[in-house]
Amino acid sequence: MKYLVMVQGTQADYEAMAGQGSASSPAWNEKDMQAMFAFMRKINDDLAESGELVDGQGLTAPAQSRHVSLDGEGRPVITDGPYGETKEVLAGYWVLDCASLERVTEIAALVARCPQPEGAPEYPVVIRPLAGSGDDV
């Protein structure tokens, strides 16, 4: 079964990783960033070696995102980020092909242990099975 494993963050978290901390997210330093990158690289390497990694990517800051919706006449309405009404957003993901929900849960628990500065917000790692057909919805 394939699963989407997602990590979350906020615009303030991205700014903190760039060294601009706030009350809600303390500033990261170079050592913090290197520890996080090494941890994630190891997870990715292990998942690739086990054959469970289908894809995985980190995403850019919410400030670089864009929402597209339609107005009452069907014309596109484009809103550039960041979005003040939005709290956590998708910060990165993995698509994994795992033998069981228990296995992907083990992986998510490992991801949740990613090193970060003391006082940084902790978000749940979200697991969603990928639908194989319209019948799965």
Side-chain angles (χ1 to χ4, degrees), residues 65-70 75-81 83:
S65 63
R66 174 176 277 186
H67 286 188
V68 180
S69 58
L70 300 177
R75 292 181 299 236
V77 176
I78 300 166
T79 308
D80 291 327
Y83 309 100

Side-chain angles (χ1 to χ4, degrees), residues 3-22:
Y3 299 89
L4 181 62
V5 176
M6 299 167 279
V7 292
Q8 300 171 316
T10 65
Q11 182 64 37
D13 298 328
Y14 280 87
E15 291 166 4
M17 287 191 286
Q20 302 165 8
S22 67

Side-chain angles (χ1 to χ4, degrees), residues 50-65:
S50 71
E52 295 169 304
L53 180 65
V54 176
D55 185 32
Q57 301 291 325
L59 302 176
T60 62
Q64 297 179 30
S65 63

Side-chain angles (χ1 to χ4, degrees), residues 72-93:
E73 297 178 17
R75 292 181 299 236
V77 176
I78 300 166
T79 308
D80 291 327
Y83 309 100
E85 69 280 1
T86 303
K87 291 185 179 185
E88 297 86 26
V89 296
L90 183 63
Y93 70 90

Side-chain angles (χ1 to χ4, degrees), residues 1-133:
M1 178 125 212
K2 290 185 181 161
Y3 299 89
L4 181 62
V5 176
M6 299 167 279
V7 292
Q8 300 171 316
T10 65
Q11 182 64 37
D13 298 328
Y14 280 87
E15 291 166 4
M17 287 191 286
Q20 302 165 8
S22 67
S24 65
S25 195
W28 292 52
N29 60 38
E30 185 65 27
K31 184 178 176 183
D32 297 325
M33 293 296 293
Q34 292 307 317
M36 185 222 8
F37 288 136
F39 184 87
M40 291 300 184
R41 190 170 24 260
K42 171 98 170 84
I43 288 174
N44 291 340
D45 290 347
D46 290 349
L47 292 170
E49 188 175 315
S50 71
E52 295 169 304
L53 180 65
V54 176
D55 185 32
Q57 301 291 325
L59 302 176
T60 62
Q64 297 179 30
S65 63
R66 174 176 277 186
H67 286 188
V68 180
S69 58
L70 300 177
D71 68 13
E73 297 178 17
R75 292 181 299 236
V77 176
I78 300 166
T79 308
D80 291 327
Y83 309 100
E85 69 280 1
T86 303
K87 291 185 179 185
E88 297 86 26
V89 296
L90 183 63
Y93 70 90
W94 291 264
V95 175
L96 303 176
D97 192 351
C98 295
S100 67
L101 180 58
E102 290 74 23
R103 172 62 182 142
V104 75
T105 301
E106 289 172 10
I107 295 166
L110 178 62
V111 169
R113 292 184 184 97
C114 183
Q116 58 184 16
E118 186 174 323
E122 293 186 29
Y123 303 105
V125 177
V126 180
I127 300 169
R128 299 277 305 270
L130 296 181
S133 69

